[in-house]
Amino acid sequence: MKLLVVGSVAFDAIETPFGKTDKILGGAATYITLASSVLGVDSGIVSIVGGDFPQSDLDMLSRRGVNIEGIEIVKDGKTFFWSGKYHNDLNSRDTLVTEVNVLEHFDPKIPASMQDAEILLLGNLHPAVQMTVLERMTNRPQVVILDTMNFWMDSAWDDLMRVIAKTDVITINDEEARQLSGEYSLVKAAKKIHEMGPDFVIIKKGEHGALLFHDGKIFAIPALPLEEVFDPTGAGDTFAGGFASYLAKKEDFSFETMKSALSVGSAMASFTVEKFGTERLQEITESEIVARINNFKDLTTFEVNV
Ligand code: AMP
């Protein structure tokens, strides 16, 4: 199955307790599709960059099998730029700069070669743009996955509600789930979010893993305890990319398959945080992923006899 991703392709400047970077490759769609390429899943991006975006990065995505026909290049425009600084616990961060640049007037166009994608992942972007992409698919994809953040809850509530209503799976972090639902309990929050549209609600809890809610059932997966966490940027996007790519590989959208997909997303994200930006994600092989998923199994499987 094919995966179509809409989201930012960006420059990021990141500061963590371990160091800082100048402008490096980032963006939600970049992390998501790099995760897909590790698993050998056909993916394509709908996004926009400026004339300042390096051809070498576009070539790198292309070489990895990512369809970049849907990345518009505005020759005299500037690429979206985001800068963030992590606190010492690495679980929280401050956004220092967001320069929307070419994303401000983004009118997404879906290339004919991606119109048949069975899975659509609406990565973190303005919900009105996410909605436009969904509306411009000739046939509705079999599964629509939505990732969003508090920024859009504060600035584009009505648009966000409209796109959530059309979504099958939502991925959101714990703080955002509380803000979206007005409930502190994540169980109650998931119930309210179900009522907004999605049948499947995934709540990400950073270093504490993720929860999947569906039809009165709950499944939990931990995050792999890592000795070194270097830079959490893109962990959420990588998680979503790993999750969606596993569904694409299995061609199945049942609760059971989604449980396994959660472990793939977590394993993938555990690599991303080991180095700055997309560096680690660009290095890993499918066998490394398989080994790490097995680590997850060892971590979470146990027998009990009462
Ligand atoms: P994550 O750490 O998973 O939340 O994702 C980080 C990525 O999201 C970075 O590479 C940024 O370029 C991108 N990003 C941050 N803010 C926004 C925004 N408002 N719209 C689109 N992408 C963003």
Side-chain angles (χ1 to χ4, degrees), residues 152-230:
W152 307 118
M153 292 172 209
D154 297 333
S155 62
W157 179 265
D158 292 345
D159 287 324
L160 184 60
M161 284 301 124
R162 270 192 286 276
V163 72
I164 287 180
K166 302 272 180 197
T167 297
D168 303 299
V169 185
I170 184 170
T171 74
I172 190 167
N173 76 28
D174 43 4
E175 286 299 303
E176 292 159 352
R178 289 182 173 122
Q179 184 175 345
L180 188 62
S181 63
E183 293 286 354
Y184 185 81
S185 148
L186 294 179
V187 178
K188 285 188 183 164
K191 266 192 195 148
K192 284 218 171 146
I193 298 170
H194 278 312
E195 285 163 14
M196 295 171 187
D199 275 346
F200 295 88
V201 175
I202 296 172
I203 300 183
K204 300 172 283 184
K205 299 195 296 154
E207 65 171 335
H208 304 298
L211 299 168
L212 168 66
F213 297 85
H214 171 66
D215 201 16
K217 297 184 285 249
I218 309 178
F219 175 72
I221 183 108
L224 199 68
L226 294 172
E227 225 164 282
E228 308 254 19
V229 175
F230 201 73

Side-chain angles (χ1 to χ4, degrees), residues 7-12 14 25-28 30-31 80-83 86 93 95 98 100 103 123-126 147 149 151-152 204 232-238:
S8 49
V9 173
F11 288 131
D12 291 345
I14 305 160
L25 173 64
T30 312
Y31 283 100
F80 175 86
F81 172 62
W82 175 82
S83 169
Y86 287 85
R93 71 183 177 203
T95 290
T98 302
V100 184
L103 267 176
N124 181 22
L125 267 192
H126 195 296
D147 191 25
M149 68 190 289
F151 182 74
W152 307 118
K204 300 172 283 184
T233 308
D237 303 312
T238 309

Side-chain angles (χ1 to χ4, degrees), residues 131-142:
M131 190 67 174
T132 303
V133 171
L134 181 54
E135 285 169 351
R136 289 185 178 168
M137 295 291 288
T138 333
N139 298 306
R140 190 192 188 274
Q142 292 180 31

Side-chain angles (χ1 to χ4, degrees), residues 64-77:
R64 300 184 66 111
V66 179
N67 181 333
I68 58 163
E69 283 171 36
I71 303 183
E72 187 183 334
I73 303 170
V74 182
K75 283 235 155 52
D76 54 357

